[in-house]
Structure formats: structure tokens, C-alpha cells
Amino acid sequence: MYVPDVELHEAQSLEEAAALLSRFSPHARLLAGGTDLLVDLKSGRLSADHLISVSRVAFLHGITETEDGLRIGALTTITQLDRHPVVRQRFAALRDATSQMAAPQIRNVATVGGNVVSAVPCADLPPLLTVMNGAARIWSTSGERTVALASFFVGVRQTVLKPGELLTAVFLPEQPGRFGAAYARFSLREGNSIAVAGVAAGIQLGADGRVDDARVALGAVSPTPKLVAAAREILVGEEPDPRVFAKAADAAMDAAEPICDVRGTAGFRREIVAVMARRALTSAWERARGTKP
Ligand SMILES: Cc1cc2nc3c(=O)[nH]c(=O)nc-3n(C[C@H](O)[C@H](O)[C@H](O)COP(=O)(O)OP(=O)(O)OC[C@H]3O[C@@H](n4cnc5c(N)ncnc54)[C@H](O)[C@@H]3O)c2cc1C
């Protein structure tokens, strides 16, 4: 399999990227790390005559602390996210995903923006960023807008991005006190293996130790990172313990819409969802209590 003949353009700014996209539309695609796009071009799933690289656009790079959270530039690689000191100190749950995704060679070029915009059901960051109340910062020549990740994904490989819009960053709000998030995934081997099922959980504890709020999001077993409303209903107001987590995990299992493929049957995936949900909820609770980094 070879990448078909394409013309590569290197945009120096967002404006130039937009102009190139518009000029060569509908035969142009934006290129970040290329770990999804080049595979799709090779396999023939997607086609393009022009690739618009945004690697030189400074605004898309870097992780910045803001007054109210963390701005993760769309071109931040998975390795950069994994190693960033602020992520390690204050957003450590992200490392549940970044430390397990793909392999170091891929993590060195794969970007956060590409992982989010690809909107592939098995992508690891979207469920986790969703339970951490992440938002997509979107730019076009008409202006900027922010969309909560909980509303960003609309279907398999489909997002709310309109033609001409670029993702500039993912924003994570400062994680409140007594809040913890976690992600648990199952894959068939340790390296370079996409998730068979993944579950992200976020738990907000009240002063009395009960659950004030909770979010459980599914990965790889639904078209989008699905938030499980029934799990939230089970958890809120309860004193966290393995029995409550097991009930919420069963709700997550019931909400899953898994497919059968070479990595596992739908039934197997459902069982795995329950196990991953229990693990993610337990880790999120430990982080909310401050007993886990
Ligand atoms: C061997 C291998 C293993 C993998 N393992 C995993 C894994 O374990 N977990 C996982 O989640 N993923 C995995 N992936 C998938 C992939 O590495 C990730 O999804 C990666 O983060 C995509 O980022 P990228 O920079 O390579 O995106 P690209 O391939 O460059 O782009 C992906 C899509 O997003 C669009 N795009 C990119 N940036 C922007 C932007 N700023 N604004 C608008 N559109 C944009 C592109 O046009 C394209 O459609 C794996 C891939 C490979 C090849």
C-alpha cells in the first residue's frame, strides 16, 4: 500500500491554511501528524489531491496554563502531553490514556487534535477529555467558537466541525477539589493495539464523601464517546463503594453498542465494558480522595 500522489502545502498561519483548504476544496485535507490520515489515504478509505500541513502554525503548538485551566494546542503530540509537568501534577488522569496509546514512535508524531478530530470510536482521548469537561476551541475565517466535547462528536468519524473550520486547541478547565478522573482500556496486546473497549470516569465528591456528580463515558463500544446517564443516576448521592460501582458498571455495559470484529465479539466487549467501568470508577474515586496521583 502506498500513499497516492498528493501535493503537500505547508501553511504558515491559520489564515493560509484556510485559504489553501478553500482553494483546493473538496480535494484537500488538513495534515497534522498523519498517523490516521496517511493510513486512510493508503487504504483508500479517504482520498485527497492536496494535503495542507499545519505543522508550522505556531498558534496550534504548546500546552499553556491559563487562569482557569489548561490549553492543549491541537498539534501537541501524545508524548508531549504525557510528559508535560503540569499534566503530571494536576491532570494526571490524562496519562491513563497517553501512556497506553499506540507505541512511542506513533506517540511522538500523533497529535491531540488529530485524535479528537478523527472521531474514530476507539480513540482513547475523547472519552477521557469528555469526562474532564473538555472543550474544543474552533477557528475559521468567520471567528472562533468553543464547543463542549460532550457535544462535539456526532457520529463515527463525524464532528460538529464545518468546512473551513480548524480545531486550534482542547481546553480543560481546572479540575475542582475532590474531583477525580480515570480511564481504563482493554486491548489485545500492550503496544500498537487500539482499544477493544475503554471507559472513562469522573467523580466529584461532596464534603461528606458522597458522590455529588459523576460522568462515565464509553470508548470503542459506541459510535461516539457516549456519556452513560444511567450510571450517573446510580452514583449521585451514594457513598462510593464496590457495590455501587458494580451497579454503575452494569449500567455502562447496558448502554454499550458494541460491534463484532476481529478484536472481539459484541458480547465479549460488553463484559469488558463492565470490568473497565469498575476499574475506571475505582481509580477516579481514589484520585478524588487524593489517594492516587
Ligand atoms: C500503529 C498505530 C497505532 C495507533 N494506536 C492508537 C491508540 O492506541 N489509541 C488511539 O487513540 N489512536 C491510535 N492510533 C490513531 C492515531 O495515532 C491517533 O488518532 C492520532 O492522535 C491522530 O493524530 P494525527 O496528528 O496523526 O492526525 P492526522 O492523521 O494528521 O489527522 C487526522 C484527521 O484529523 C484532521 N485534523 C488533524 N488536525 C486537525 C485540526 N487541528 N483541525 C481540524 N482537523 C484536523 C485531519 O484532516 C484528519 O482528517 C494509532 C495509529 C497507528 C498508525
Side-chain angles (χ1 to χ4, degrees):
M1 287 197 298
Y2 297 98
V3 176
D5 278 350
V6 286
E7 196 175 331
L8 180 68
H9 307 263
E10 287 195 299
Q12 308 289 327
S13 65
L14 290 175
E15 289 77 9
E16 193 185 350
L20 287 163
L21 278 174
S22 150
R23 180 172 159 205
F24 296 113
S25 169
H27 306 292
R29 290 187 187 275
L30 217 62
L31 177 71
T35 61
D36 273 331
L37 183 56
L38 297 182
V39 175
D40 286 340
L41 291 175
K42 276 185 182 178
S43 69
R45 187 202 295 272
L46 294 179
S47 64
D49 295 329
H50 299 269
L51 294 185
I52 319 297
S53 166
V54 284
S55 299
R56 290 174 190 265
V57 181
F59 188 61
L60 301 178
H61 285 277
I63 299 178
T64 324
E65 284 182 87
T66 67
E67 262 178 18
D68 48 354
L70 196 67
R71 180 192 183 275
I72 304 166
L75 284 179
T76 302
T77 65
I78 305 304
T79 300
Q80 287 167 341
L81 188 63
D82 185 70
R83 295 194 180 157
H84 198 277
V86 175
V87 170
R88 293 194 167 212
Q89 280 158 21
R90 302 217 309 274
F91 297 87
L94 289 174
R95 301 198 62 241
D96 290 353
T98 54
S99 62
Q100 296 188 69
M101 289 167 70
Q105 295 90 333
I106 298 287
R107 294 201 287 263
N108 286 343
V109 287
T111 65
V112 172
N115 197 247
V116 169
V117 176
S118 280
V120 174
C122 65
D124 288 300
L125 286 176
L128 183 52
L129 293 168
T130 299
V131 302
M132 294 171 86
N133 282 320
R137 294 268 155 90
I138 298 168
W139 178 93
S140 75
T141 50
S142 319
E144 290 180 76
R145 62 184 181 123
T146 298
V147 176
L149 286 177
S151 323
F152 182 79
F153 304 97
V154 292
V156 174
R157 297 173 183 266
Q158 288 178 310
T159 71
V160 297
L161 282 187
K162 298 180 194 139
E165 284 191 324
L166 278 81
L167 178 80
T168 55
V170 169
F171 176 75
L172 281 182
E174 196 58 58
Q175 306 294 286
R178 296 199 193 96
F179 175 82
Y183 177 66
R185 81 186 299 238
F186 177 80
S187 56
L188 295 180
R189 52 174 199 271
E190 278 189 14
N192 261 342
S193 191
I194 56 175
V196 173
V199 178
I203 291 183
Q204 177 67 60
L205 293 177
D208 58 359
R210 289 177 183 272
V211 178
D212 258 6
D213 200 2
R215 285 186 148 200
V216 173
L218 306 179
V221 289
S222 63
T224 60
K226 183 178 186 177
L227 282 168
V228 184
R232 180 177 182 276
E233 275 167 31
I234 289 164
L235 290 160
V236 170
E238 293 293 328
E239 193 143 343
D241 66 27
R243 184 192 53 85
V244 175
F245 289 159
K247 274 177 77 179
D250 284 348
M253 181 171 73
D254 291 343
E257 306 164 63
I259 56 164
C260 288
D261 69 8
V262 288
R263 290 179 198 86
T265 62
F268 172 67
R269 282 191 154 98
R270 267 199 199 89
E271 299 285 334
I272 292 292
V273 167
V275 178
M276 294 302 117
R278 283 200 296 274
R279 286 186 192 169
L281 284 164
T282 305
S283 290
W285 180 39
E286 287 168 358
R287 286 199 172 112
R289 287 188 303 161
T291 58
K292 181 183 171 101

